[in-house]
Amino acid sequence: MNTQDGGHYDAAVDALAARDYETAGDRYTRGGRRVLADPREDLDPFTPDEKGWIGQGLQQLCAAAVAYRVAGVDARATQRAVEGIAATRDFQRVLDAPGQGACLAEFVADFRVAGGLDGAAEAYDDAAERYGDAGGAIDSPQALATTPLFGAAAATIKQIARGQANGEIAIKWEDLHGSDPSQPGEFLAHRARFKKQRFGGLVEKAVADGHLAAPRGTTEYGNETHRCPNCGANDVNWAGSDVLCMRCSTPTERV
């Protein structure tokens, strides 16, 4: 993480690797709240920020809601989603650069899915409409989509999807975005439409499987010094504070 999360993000990933999903939810919650309160040194979260660093705090709250769902503590997932929606709407008063309000609306929809709340489809439609309305004021949708706010809004769905794809990158840039960046509104609205189709099913599958993968960090195929004690793979993922199996997120052993 590039924000001041107090080490809770790495601790959350470590808890995911240990299959302790409620603890992961707790750690994501603590990290998210830290980031929302004090994102980076000398950055006030309640002032405009063209990069949107608070997005990494919202992402941790969203991941917390999913982790609680996988842990079977649905009431806590609901609470975290409601908290995330409230925080997101508050920041809509602050982040006013073109497209940022639409991205925050996308986060609102994500929280509805993550927490199992009603109204997710309508929320994604609202985000898509907001992207369309903002399109004329966006010079480079590709650059905007790489800012911390937009990256954070894409992180949770990517994390869940890789756990259902043998650890590979299951959702790519071209999946989330439109094909024509000369039409900024449509290029970015594709994010909301794609999530409307896919995010709910991915969350439900993770809940049914009882497994939430660690996020993808730095990876290496065929590492000669680490092997997974669970599945035997030697493809590794440096995430959290340990070296994890890229396939099943189990901490690896040195060989």
Side-chain angles (χ1 to χ4, degrees):
M1 297 294 283
N2 297 309
T3 45
Q4 300 180 134
D5 68 280
H8 294 299
Y9 177 86
D10 283 348
V13 175
D14 292 346
L16 292 179
R19 307 297 196 267
D20 186 354
Y21 297 116
E22 186 167 9
T23 296
D26 291 345
R27 286 294 200 160
Y28 273 134
T29 296
R30 295 169 68 186
R33 290 170 177 170
R34 278 281 287 258
V35 172
L36 294 182
D38 192 16
R40 287 163 66 90
E41 188 174 354
D42 299 325
L43 179 62
D44 184 336
F46 295 113
T47 58
D49 169 22
E50 63 181 11
K51 295 189 179 299
W53 285 105
I54 57 92
Q56 293 187 357
L58 296 175
Q59 190 272 323
Q60 290 206 56
L61 294 184
C62 190
V66 177
Y68 288 139
R69 289 276 301 280
V70 174
V73 284
D74 289 358
R76 300 201 67 197
T78 298
Q79 292 165 344
R80 203 61 62 239
V82 170
E83 176 183 353
I85 290 170
T88 301
R89 287 179 169 159
D90 195 22
F91 286 115
Q92 283 179 323
R93 301 180 304 103
V94 178
L95 298 185
D96 56 3
Q100 287 186 328
C103 188
L104 290 171
E106 183 184 323
F107 257 118
V108 168
D110 288 348
F111 278 116
R112 291 192 177 281
V113 172
L117 307 179
D118 293 336
E122 295 81 0
Y124 281 125
D125 289 342
D126 175 58
E129 183 176 350
R130 287 174 184 249
Y131 279 126
D133 291 342
I138 297 172
D139 295 327
S140 173
Q142 303 103 310
L144 184 62
T146 63
T147 60
L149 179 66
F150 280 73
T156 302
I157 189 172
K158 289 181 176 181
Q159 178 180 348
I160 299 170
R162 70 176 298 271
Q164 299 166 27
N166 198 30
E168 297 289 355
I169 299 174
I171 294 177
K172 301 177 182 179
W173 170 274
E174 55 267 27
D175 297 321
L176 275 172
H177 300 97
S179 59
D180 185 3
S182 70
Q183 301 292 325
E186 283 300 306
F187 181 86
L188 294 171
H190 189 77
R191 295 169 58 99
R193 296 182 183 127
F194 178 84
K195 286 183 176 180
K196 180 181 177 181
Q197 294 176 342
R198 294 290 309 279
F199 196 22
L202 289 168
V203 171
E204 293 303 326
K205 183 67 163 56
V207 172
D209 292 345
H211 175 60
L212 176 59
R216 188 175 174 115
T218 301
T219 58
E220 180 184 352
Y221 291 85
N223 184 283
E224 296 181 357
T225 59
H226 291 84
R227 187 169 296 276
C228 177
N230 180 52
C231 70
N234 64 343
D235 303 324
V236 299
N237 177 29
W238 280 270
S241 63
D242 209 343
V243 183
L244 307 181
C245 174
M246 192 179 78
R247 303 302 174 188
C248 67
S249 297
T250 301
T252 60
E253 295 177 347
R254 293 191 67 87
V255 295

